[in-house]
Amino acid sequence: MCRTSTLRPCSTNKRISYIHIPTRILGIDPGLRITGFGILDQSGKQLRYVTSGCIKTPDASLPERLKTILNSLTEIIQQHQPQQVAVEQVFVNVNPKSTLLLGQARGAAICAAVAANLPVAEYTALQVKQAVVGNGHAAKEQVQEMVKRLLQLPAAPSPDAADALACAICHAHGGMGLGALATAGFRVRGGRLVGGAR
């Protein structure tokens, strides 16, 4: 699966150069109560924020909640026309029922993508945090802060939207670690993001 922007040859004065055609990526952090989404454009190593937000399901039956996730993501896909989708994998916890419910929310999110004929990539929470923060066990606040810095946002997004954007960032860089991102000078010390040399 191609995770980088498309290259198109451009001839100028008998010299061939290449311009990057942006690839639009939709990141999804699935949840039965709140599903985060984040969209960015990737052009080479450059990332540009498009939009992000949360889908909040009603206090209703499971089928109704899944319908809300499916319909909302379908509408987002139709409106913003992403070309690729990245979804966070389910974390298996000590509560089998919670894991099963989260898996169904994730299934609804994936269905919205495949119904639009979009390729879907999957990443674990550890992979996403490692790619964005450089620490696979980073706290949510660290993810929010690094997403804010990477995408040059005026404020940190909500935790669920930040996780979705982080998933899209991870996908844009092929799931690679912090060294592949434009985060020179940032590191983790004492559980906080800091700048400057070690």
Side-chain angles (χ1 to χ4, degrees), residues 22-34:
T23 297
R24 180 156 291 186
I25 303 169
L26 166 63
I28 302 173
D29 177 41
L32 188 59
R33 189 172 65 86
I34 301 176

Side-chain angles (χ1 to χ4, degrees), residues 25-93:
I25 303 169
L26 166 63
I28 302 173
D29 177 41
L32 188 59
R33 189 172 65 86
I34 301 176
T35 290
F37 68 91
I39 300 176
L40 55 82
D41 286 340
Q42 176 196 15
S43 182
K45 293 184 178 180
Q46 300 298 313
L47 301 177
R48 185 181 69 84
Y49 173 82
V50 177
T51 189
S52 64
C54 296
I55 299 167
K56 297 183 179 180
T57 61
D59 185 12
S61 65
L62 175 61
E64 284 298 318
R65 289 186 169 194
L66 297 178
K67 179 182 178 182
T68 298
I69 295 170
L70 178 63
N71 289 348
S72 298
L73 285 173
T74 297
E75 183 178 340
I76 290 166
I77 289 170
Q78 291 175 346
Q79 180 179 353
H80 296 284
Q81 296 292 306
Q83 297 156 288
Q84 298 176 16
V85 177
V87 182
E88 189 169 307
Q89 291 183 353
V90 172
F91 174 76
V92 180
N93 57 38

